[in-house]
Amino acid sequence: MTLTWAGPPLAVVGLGADGWDGLGVRAKEAIGAAEVLFGSARQLALVPEEVGIQRRAWPSPLLPALPDLLREQTGRRVCVLASGDPMFYGIGVTLARLVGPAALQVFPQPSSATLACARLGWPLAETPVVSAVGRPLHAVLPELSDGSRFLVLSADERTPSALAELLRENGFGDSTLTVLEQLGGPAERISQDLAAKWTAREVDPLNIIALECVADPDRPRATRLPGLPDALYGGDGQLTKAEVRALTLAALAPAPGELLWDVGGGSGSIAIEWCRTHPTCRAVTFERLATRRAGIEANATALGVPQLRVRGEVLAELADASGEPAPDAIFLGGGVTQPGVLETCWAQLRHGGRLVANAVTAESEALLVSSAARYGGDLRKFQIYRAEPLGGFTAWRPQLPVAQWSAVKPR
């Protein structure tokens, strides 16, 4: 949704924990020139009472109410308060999307990430940041790897303890948590401990967490690269095996921000690993069985991709696809031979998008061959062998061969 802003530019002023005293002259002038000042109760309290201005605390939830709040102020001089840098996971990003960047005048302060890296001596440009503000904390899981370090933006004072528990549950109990509170203000405080030893303690709601990861060497290794160990997935065994999964994701070629439809989700492994490749990747998985849909949701949570959506049987769900964005890629892992599924998916795919289908039966393989003749694309066949004990020796046990068709829809 966009909103036409007809008044003077919206002033968006970032406040640090040092409050009014930390603002520059131009930022103070922008606040003083406004007719109405928006912000949280905490932010509004940082502006001295002698700055005579109408103050409006944000409602909760904010996002649904924001367009109407701004419409009420059309033509007036409006200032919005933010924490730190408004364009770093802040209200400035939301306003830029709503009214356009030309309608904003932004006065940033150092972000919490900038201040945290300054305290820790970490290079800001090389330090990933994961936000737990308004997002499930499980989204940090794809960032976990032995030796990695990153920052977590806390939702409130409960986040450090919740993060420590999540780390313990996922084999990262020896990781170091550094909690930095009220950075840049007179009440600044820094505390540190191992996740395994972290206990409930008093923490200021305004905090950011620095995490230095140490993995349990006996736990399966899970990175952002496709081909996670099969053991990481629960379910009834309907699973694209790790080697074929890696080859399939390579054919799907995910890029940041793209949307995948995973048809015949099974355990959800293809959609989950698509989403893990980048935090902005999105996926919808279609699965007809309710028990498997529940399993997909459990796997998505356990592997840190809460953005995955789970829906029912694909043809029933797509009977009314109005409002659904066209996918950038589609994977057909099940239901290939169901009448109408492949044709419907091809029709829904955006022009320039990729479709990849796998087959293990002669009937479904024949359909892929005929589809390649009709739509173009490439055909491949994979045979994976895994070593298994055979008496006192080792034998190569063949997995089911997998035929794969991949095609790009013409623009």
Side-chain angles (χ1 to χ4, degrees):
M1 179 180 181
T2 58
L3 174 69
T4 300
W5 180 253
L10 286 165
V12 187
V13 176
L15 281 168
D18 51 358
W20 184 258
D21 292 339
L23 292 178
V25 173
R26 293 186 63 218
K28 290 180 178 179
E29 290 175 346
I31 294 175
E35 297 174 80
V36 60
L37 183 64
F38 283 101
S40 68
R42 180 188 66 82
Q43 292 162 347
L44 292 172
L46 295 174
V47 178
E49 288 297 330
E50 54 264 29
V51 180
I53 188 173
Q54 181 188 354
R55 302 172 190 230
R56 296 279 301 275
W58 292 126
S60 181
L62 169 60
L63 293 184
L66 189 57
D68 287 338
L69 284 174
L70 293 181
R71 287 190 188 96
E72 293 171 2
Q73 307 300 326
T74 299
R76 303 183 73 192
R77 296 186 301 277
V78 175
C79 181
V80 173
L81 298 180
S83 293
D85 185 345
M87 306 308 293
F88 182 74
Y89 292 94
I91 188 68
V93 178
T94 302
L95 290 172
R97 291 174 181 156
L98 184 62
V99 301
L104 302 182
Q105 188 177 23
V106 181
F107 301 87
Q109 288 285 310
S111 69
S112 57
T114 297
L115 293 172
C117 286
R119 302 295 187 270
L120 298 166
W122 291 8
L124 179 62
E126 300 171 16
T127 303
V129 179
V130 180
S131 176
V133 180
R135 299 171 174 85
L137 188 57
H138 281 74
V140 307
L141 293 176
E143 292 292 342
L144 298 180
S145 62
D146 192 51
S148 68
R149 61 186 190 184
F150 58 95
L151 300 174
V152 179
L153 300 181
S154 285
D156 52 36
E157 67 277 9
R158 297 184 295 269
T159 304
S161 291
L163 177 59
E165 182 179 0
L166 188 65
L167 293 170
R168 293 192 294 267
E169 292 173 347
N170 285 273
F172 284 84
D174 288 335
S175 303
T176 299
L177 275 76
T178 303
V179 180
L180 305 100
E181 308 168 51
Q182 287 284 339
L183 282 175
E188 179 175 315
R189 183 175 65 171
I190 299 176
S191 55
Q192 187 178 85
D193 210 340
L194 297 180
K197 298 180 179 179
W198 191 276
T199 56
R201 61 191 74 180
E202 185 177 346
V203 176
D204 190 272
L206 196 63
N207 74 84
I208 185 171
I209 306 166
L211 184 59
E212 299 173 86
C213 297
V214 177
D216 179 348
D218 296 328
R219 295 285 289 261
R221 183 176 171 87
T223 70
R224 285 194 178 276
L225 291 178
L228 295 181
D230 295 342
L232 292 177
Y233 290 94
D236 60 3
Q238 190 69 20
L239 174 70
T240 302
K241 297 299 189 287
E243 300 88 350
V244 174
R245 201 183 318 130
L247 292 166
T248 301
L249 266 295
L252 287 166
E258 288 193 324
L259 172 65
L260 169 75
W261 284 2
D262 178 9
V263 178
S267 64
S269 61
I270 295 294
I272 287 169
E273 296 190 24
W274 167 283
C275 289
R276 283 177 62 95
T277 61
H278 193 272
T280 62
C281 283
R282 300 159 294 138
V284 179
T285 185
F286 297 89
E287 172 54 56
R288 64 183 181 87
L289 296 180
T291 54
R292 288 183 182 166
R293 291 197 296 271
I296 292 170
E297 291 175 345
N299 285 331
T301 297
L303 291 167
V305 288
Q307 68 269 40
L308 176 61
R309 294 170 55 205
V310 183
R311 299 181 61 177
E313 195 276 325
V314 62
L315 292 182
E317 293 284 351
L318 295 182
D320 179 14
S322 58
E324 283 285 346
D328 301 285
I330 296 177
F331 172 61
L332 281 168
V336 174
T337 57
Q338 181 181 348
V341 167
L342 193 149
E343 293 80 6
T344 298
C345 288
W346 185 261
Q348 294 289 339
L349 184 66
R350 72 164 176 83
H351 292 283
R354 293 91 62 200
L355 188 147
V356 176
N358 289 354
V360 294
T361 68
E363 290 80 5
S364 55
E365 182 177 329
L367 182 60
L368 298 193
V369 173
S370 63
S371 297
R374 179 179 178 183
Y375 299 111
D378 299 315
L379 288 166
R380 300 180 179 88
K381 198 166 190 177
F382 311 120
Q383 178 75 73
I384 304 297
Y385 291 79
R386 291 184 177 181
E388 294 183 4
L390 182 63
F393 298 91
T394 301
W396 292 105
R397 187 77 64 188
Q399 307 293 302
L400 284 174
V402 177
Q404 184 180 90
W405 169 54
S406 57
V408 176
K409 187 173 182 177
R411 293 184 183 276

